[in-house]
Amino acid sequence: MNKFVKKLWMLGLALVLAVSLAVPALAAGEEAGEPAAQEEAQEESSGGKTMASAVAIGLAALGGALGMGLATGKAAESIGRQPEAEGKIRTTLMLGLVFIETAIIYALLVVILIIFVL
């Protein structure tokens, strides 16, 4: 039950974060038709994109670093317990680290798309 509650809290926190990052994108002024207002809205949108990009890459890097640290620690413990299985453990560890790093690189690509395309 304790793990379920933790997962529920993490899901709720992720939902709150997603909604809080989406609110500035969805909020549009009524006078958006005026050229000065459009420039001002563009500047505000640029600031929102910058903040969203910083939070996104920060969370991706934090999650990746925590995952890599835990995986490396558990692999070291496993090798300490069973030195004869070192090759298999190391291979599995490297494969897992590659997948974690790939997820971080995908997050970086999404952030670059947010900054330059949207």
Side-chain angles (χ1 to χ4, degrees):
M1 185 66 178
N2 192 14
K3 287 184 180 182
F4 176 73
V5 173
K6 285 183 183 180
K7 287 182 182 180
L8 193 60
W9 271 104
M10 292 303 291
L11 180 63
L13 186 63
L15 183 64
V16 167
L17 180 66
V19 168
S20 66
L21 291 176
V23 167
L26 298 175
E30 291 182 18
E31 61 275 344
E34 301 174 13
Q38 286 180 350
E39 289 177 13
E40 187 176 309
Q42 176 110 13
E43 289 176 9
E44 288 177 11
S45 174
S46 176
K49 283 192 247 182
T50 304
M51 289 299 294
S53 299
V55 169
I57 198 64
L59 288 175
L62 176 69
L66 289 175
M68 287 180 176
L70 288 173
T72 305
K74 295 295 181 178
E77 287 177 15
S78 299
I79 291 172
R81 274 189 243 123
Q82 290 185 328
E84 66 275 0
E86 179 183 2
K88 289 183 180 181
I89 294 170
R90 182 175 290 140
T91 302
T92 305
L93 171 68
M94 290 300 160
L95 187 61
L97 292 178
V98 165
F99 286 140
I100 292 171
E101 192 66 30
T102 303
I104 297 169
I105 291 171
Y106 283 148
L108 177 64
L109 290 175
V110 168
V111 166
I112 290 172
L113 284 174
I114 289 172
I115 292 173
F116 293 114
V117 175
L118 297 179

